Amino acid sequence: GGERLYDLWTRGRERIPCRNNFHDIGIALHNYHDKFGSFPPAYIADDDGRPMHSWRVLILPWLGADANAVYEQYRFDEPWDGPNNRRLALRMPASYLCPSDRRLRGRVNVLTAYQAVSGPGCAFDAVRARSIPEFQDGTSLSLMIVESPGPAVPWMRPDDVSPEELLRSIKAMENVPHTGGVMTLFADGAVKFLREENASPETLRALTTIAGGEPLDDNLNQSERVR
């Protein structure tokens, strides 16, 4: 009845700022691609192969003047948590924080739940930078960024989520910012609210690869497209 409709309307309104954040991140990723001919890697590694700088840092120039100012002061010759860079942690771009995430509310925050889906065959494959022609499954069916139901991470730390971790955390659905699902960004820039009941293991496995050729069931079509 009326109460249910009001509840659905309220939930929809609460998702708007998060949707806008994902939209901004999608534009930044595509602007990066326009400049460099590929999306950013999940991270830049040091000489020993250890993750050193996150994709969230690499796209700062396209997230507004304040974010670009952070980028200008960021030093790539030291780790993300080096003496200079750790001073910048408190200047996390607003685009990396969902206002509905109760885990992160009410304090000075350096954490984000926005993570890349990273792993072999994914849009973010460790240090490998992917270009659009590599997305043989199609950019509209290739998942890039999720608002992870798992623990939030320091926004500058190269820390993302594997397909297996995503599957486990969505199945658990604990402490999620939005009731009933998670916000997602696809490689074509589309933002979708992936509902829990539609996030089957088969669907998620198909969405997290860019050239797997897996059949995709109809569950994705039931997800709410918000861009």
Side-chain angles (χ1 to χ4, degrees):
E3 289 185 3
R4 181 176 182 276
L5 289 175
Y6 179 77
D7 183 53
L8 291 173
W9 177 80
T10 300
R11 293 179 187 177
R13 284 185 59 86
E14 287 179 347
R15 294 199 296 266
I16 290 175
C18 188
R19 175 199 67 190
N20 292 339
N21 288 346
F22 269 64
H23 177 253
D24 292 344
I25 292 170
I27 291 175
L29 286 168
H30 276 266
N31 282 334
Y32 184 102
H33 193 290
D34 289 344
K35 182 172 182 177
F36 296 106
S38 69
F39 293 117
Y43 59 83
I44 295 176
D46 65 15
D47 292 339
D48 295 321
R50 292 187 297 262
M52 195 172 182
H53 309 293
S54 171
W55 65 270
R56 285 180 289 267
V57 171
L58 298 179
I59 67 170
L60 287 176
W62 297 279
L63 286 177
D66 291 343
N68 185 61
V70 174
Y71 183 84
E72 293 293 332
Q73 296 177 50
Y74 189 90
R75 293 185 57 169
F76 285 90
D77 61 350
E78 68 177 42
W80 67 274
D81 56 351
N84 174 77
N85 294 339
R86 72 164 65 104
R87 296 188 299 106
L88 303 173
L90 294 175
R91 297 169 61 184
M92 182 176 74
S95 297
Y96 290 152
L97 177 63
C98 173
S100 297
D101 196 334
R102 295 171 180 82
R103 301 171 298 176
L104 309 177
R105 205 182 273 173
R107 55 191 168 112
V108 177
N109 186 52
V110 299
L111 303 177
T112 182
Y114 297 171
Q115 293 183 284
V117 182
S118 179
C122 297
F124 289 90
D125 187 355
V127 297
R128 179 186 174 91
R130 299 285 199 182
S131 62
I132 286 178
E134 294 180 73
F135 288 71
Q136 297 178 22
D137 289 345
T139 54
S140 65
L141 296 177
S142 298
L143 190 58
M144 292 195 78
I145 311 294
V146 299
E147 185 170 24
S148 175
V153 300
W155 74 274
M156 290 192 299
R157 187 169 80 191
D159 191 341
D160 292 293
V161 61
S162 69
E164 295 76 21
E165 290 168 336
L166 177 62
L167 188 59
R168 287 195 298 269
S169 60
I170 286 182
K171 186 176 181 180
M173 275 290 173
E174 297 175 354
N175 301 317
V176 291
H178 309 290
T179 303
V182 294
M183 202 67 72
T184 62
L185 174 71
F186 286 75
D188 64 347
V191 182
K192 294 186 178 183
F193 186 70
L194 187 61
R195 298 188 178 279
E196 178 185 1
E197 62 268 23
N198 299 333
S200 70
E202 294 76 19
T203 294
L204 285 174
R205 290 191 187 95
L207 294 178
T208 56
T209 59
I210 67 171
E214 307 95 338
L216 190 65
D217 59 32
D218 291 334
N219 287 337
L220 178 63
N221 297 326
Q222 301 171 33
S223 300
E224 176 186 350
R225 187 183 179 99
V226 289
R227 175 183 176 272

